[in-house]
Amino acid sequence: MSQVVTRIAPSPTGYMHIGTARTALFNWLYTRGRGGQFLLRIEDTDRERSTPEATDAILRGMEWLGLDYDGEAVSQFERADRHAEVAHHLLNEGKAYKCFSTPEEIQEFRDSARAEGRSTLFQSPWRDVDPNTHPDAPYVVRIKSPETGVTVIHDQVQGDVTIKNDQLDDMVLLRSDGTPVYMLAVVVDDYDMGITHVIRGDDHLNNAARQMMIYNAMGWKLPVYAHLPLILGEDGKKLSKRHGATSVEDYQTMGYPAAGMRNYLARLGWSHGDDEFFTDEQAKEWFDFGGINKSAARFDFKKLQNLSGQHIAAGDDAALLQEILAYREKSDMAPLSDEMAAGLGRALYCVKDRAKTFGELIDIARFILVQRPLEIEEKAQKQLNSVSRSILETLTPQLHNVTWSREALEALINQVAETHEVGFGKVAGPLRAALAGQSVTPSVIDMMLVLGRDESVARLNDAKAQCHD
Ligand code: GLU
């Protein structure tokens, strides 16, 4: 089989929608699993709605999600001359024609067709007129669509979709100012870019029949089509801002790791048996059209959080740290000093399996991100009483000499608990308060190991002074 070439072709008219991200991901998985090429085309033909900011948002979104594409992004607008060239070629071949009907004439046609109960699809009187008799007047270029028969889209998701050709009018290819229409641009670009598989939202299914007309007229090989069902909100209505964030960037600022996001988006309309949690490598290997659901997918925030948590827990510490630092920057949090960032990196092993988002992770890792003297939360303050003072008084001097290892620290704390005739938990409470100023933290031993001897002892001494009677 020849090489697979796919593309994502977003229109830069706002933020990057989560549906675009899912379409990009499906293309990426399909392609990367087959050693093909995945391309990016910015469909910026609509000059009024397209903005450079929206293009930047798409590029940032792709980068954040780790959806690498081959080569440079292609601008559709910059290829307008080539699109027009194809229309002129069809004109020369007699497969398209100049139509001089005015907008008023077209409206009249429609009005009388409606009144007579006929199809309102415009039938141009210029289709078969001899070009030698053409007037010197403004015209559009229309394609000659087949008048009878059917067009069948062999869709990899929807199955065969049949459209009667008499329901397709002679679509305009070039407007009266000579500019190409979007539908022509898509086909020419896909052909020139060598796209073998068009994987996109099913809001484009109807366009496929019209686009096929252009392929056929040019004698070009059709791509394989796969139209993906919509994404709905939890209530079964089309996903919109009412349901929560629809912009890819918002998910980044909400603190989801890119790997978790990819895993979740892959599950949004595609499945591989009962697998919920998987790696990119598995998804690339497994992804196929057969696993795509025919019906719309529902966005499920709980599931996203769940998978996000699993990916944070499974993440490589060095890579996670980089992602967390990027998240902090994206969310306008204060930058961390190198020392604090290194501390956070050391702490990851004991906090990462307890957080569903990077925001939660930073909360749990607060002990390493604060400096003495610690602010002690009210709940933690309650732990610091006279019993705690005597526990701390027994413990702190011994910390100077103990080997700084999990086993030795555990043995020491157990021994202190025994001396005071209390359980481990009674000792852990005040230690938690002293080491983190919070009551929800990683285990005290982990915190001590991450903080190191000097900082741990200093914090315990600070707390000793704060114990109330
Ligand atoms: N530009 C279209 C969109 O953003 C996609 C067109 C296509 O994939 O063929 O919906």
Side-chain angles (χ1 to χ4, degrees):
M1 204 177 114
S2 60
Q3 197 194 33
V4 168
V5 185
T6 61
R7 53 37 167 206
I8 178 75
S11 307
T13 56
Y15 55 88
M16 185 178 184
H17 194 275
I18 200 74
T20 306
R22 188 205 41 175
T23 304
L25 175 74
F26 280 23
N27 274 281
W28 183 80
L29 288 174
Y30 186 82
T31 313
R32 294 287 179 244
R34 290 167 176 76
Q37 295 232 337
F38 170 56
L39 311 179
L40 170 64
R41 179 171 74 236
I42 303 291
E43 300 215 313
D44 51 358
T45 35
D46 184 340
R47 300 316 283 167
E48 303 216 322
R49 296 179 63 220
S50 302
T51 66
E53 293 75 28
T55 299
D56 286 347
I58 292 164
L59 300 180
R60 283 197 305 272
M62 296 286 285
E63 189 177 349
W64 173 57
L65 282 168
L67 303 180
D68 60 313
Y69 49 90
D70 295 296
E72 296 291 312
V74 171
S75 154
Q76 184 160 68
F77 175 68
E78 284 173 15
R79 295 177 34 81
D81 289 349
R82 165 69 179 145
H83 307 147
E85 182 187 304
V86 169
H88 284 115
H89 176 80
L90 290 174
L91 201 53
N92 292 339
E93 296 268 297
K95 292 180 174 156
Y97 61 94
K98 293 180 182 177
C99 169
F100 297 86
S101 297
T102 62
E104 294 75 31
E105 285 167 352
I106 295 172
Q107 193 54 48
E108 261 171 49
F109 176 96
R110 294 221 165 99
D111 290 345
S112 51
R114 194 170 297 116
E116 290 161 28
R118 287 185 286 113
S119 159
T120 56
L121 283 184
F122 181 58
Q123 286 174 304
S124 171
W126 296 96
R127 179 172 164 128
D128 297 313
V129 170
D130 178 358
N132 293 320
T133 65
H134 279 171
D136 183 15
Y139 61 86
V140 298
V141 174
R142 292 182 183 273
I143 192 165
K144 281 187 187 170
S145 71
E147 288 169 303
T148 55
V150 293
T151 296
V152 184
I153 307 161
H154 298 293
D155 194 87
Q156 298 300 305
V157 179
Q158 318 284 340
D160 281 359
V161 179
T162 303
I163 294 175
K164 286 194 183 144
N165 287 337
D166 61 12
Q167 287 170 5
L168 303 170
D169 59 3
D170 288 350
M171 170 173 75
V172 172
L173 300 177
L174 291 185
R175 299 186 191 90
S176 56
D177 62 1
T179 57
V181 299
Y182 166 71
M183 208 74 93
L184 172 65
V186 171
V187 173
V188 176
D189 288 347
D190 280 344
Y191 174 77
D192 286 354
M193 291 164 78
I195 304 301
T196 57
H197 293 67
V198 170
I199 305 169
R200 62 186 174 191
D202 69 3
D203 45 336
H204 289 282
L205 183 61
N206 282 332
N207 290 345
R210 294 174 169 281
Q211 293 171 358
M212 283 167 70
M213 235 152 61
I214 304 175
Y215 279 98
N216 291 336
M218 288 301 291
W220 291 341
K221 186 169 182 276
L222 289 171
V224 173
Y225 285 110
H227 286 93
L228 312 172
L230 274 179
I231 303 174
L232 306 178
E234 274 162 347
D235 58 1
K237 304 219 170 87
K238 191 178 167 187
L239 187 70
S240 74
K241 286 197 174 144
R242 277 185 306 113
H243 299 103
T246 50
S247 147
V248 170
E249 232 152 346
D250 287 345
Y251 287 86
Q252 191 182 4
T253 45
M254 282 189 274
Y256 293 110
M261 204 66 207
R262 284 195 294 274
N263 187 162
Y264 177 67
L265 288 177
R267 285 287 294 106
L268 202 51
W270 173 79
S271 55
H272 178 266
D274 293 331
D275 294 301
E276 290 292 349
F277 173 85
F278 42 76
T279 64
D280 289 333
E281 294 320 308
Q282 288 171 314
K284 285 181 206 166
E285 194 187 316
W286 296 338
F287 190 87
D288 208 350
F289 296 133
I292 299 175
N293 299 338
K294 273 201 173 63
S295 52
R298 288 195 190 206
F299 204 95
D300 179 344
F301 283 91
K302 273 229 171 71
K303 196 155 153 183
L304 167 60
Q305 294 213 332
N306 193 304
L307 286 171
S308 166
Q310 292 188 57
H311 278 275
I312 292 177
D316 163 74
D317 288 358
L320 272 181
L321 179 62
Q322 289 315 313
E323 234 190 316
I324 295 166
L325 297 179
Y327 156 76
R328 287 185 65 99
E329 197 181 331
K330 184 89 189 162
S331 320
D332 295 328
M333 290 181 172
L336 295 181
S337 65
D338 289 350
E339 203 186 328
M340 279 212 177
L344 179 58
R346 286 199 312 279
L348 281 176
Y349 82 91
C350 64
V351 295
K352 66 181 180 180
D353 56 353
R354 309 175 58 174
K356 293 195 164 58
T357 61
F358 290 143
E360 282 183 23
L361 184 146
I362 287 173
D363 277 349
I364 301 168
R366 196 172 149 256
F367 75 95
I368 193 74
L369 301 175
V370 287
Q371 276 172 322
R372 293 180 48 225
L374 303 195
E375 245 176 71
I376 300 193
E377 282 178 2
E378 210 182 305
K379 207 164 159 202
Q381 184 70 50
K382 292 199 180 114
Q383 295 284 345
L384 299 178
N385 52 28
S386 55
V387 180
S388 314
R389 184 187 299 123
S390 70
I391 291 172
L392 291 171
E393 271 166 1
T394 321
L395 178 65
T396 28
Q398 304 197 55
L399 288 175
H400 288 290
N401 304 319
V402 71
T403 312
W404 210 253
S405 72
R406 179 179 304 279
E407 298 69 29
L409 287 169
E410 236 162 43
L412 175 60
I413 294 173
N414 273 323
Q415 185 201 319
V416 171
E418 254 169 56
T419 314
H420 287 263
E421 295 182 342
V422 291
F424 187 95
K426 272 274 179 311
V427 181
L431 288 185
R432 227 180 258 287
L435 293 167
Q438 283 176 296
S439 44
V440 181
T441 69
S443 83
V444 291
I445 307 282
D446 281 324
M447 286 195 287
M448 290 168 95
L449 290 172
V450 173
L451 288 167
R453 189 191 309 267
D454 292 350
E455 181 69 18
S456 301
V457 171
R459 290 188 185 194
L460 296 183
N461 282 330
D462 288 348
K464 225 183 327 180
Q466 290 204 44
C467 288
H468 45 85
D469 288 315

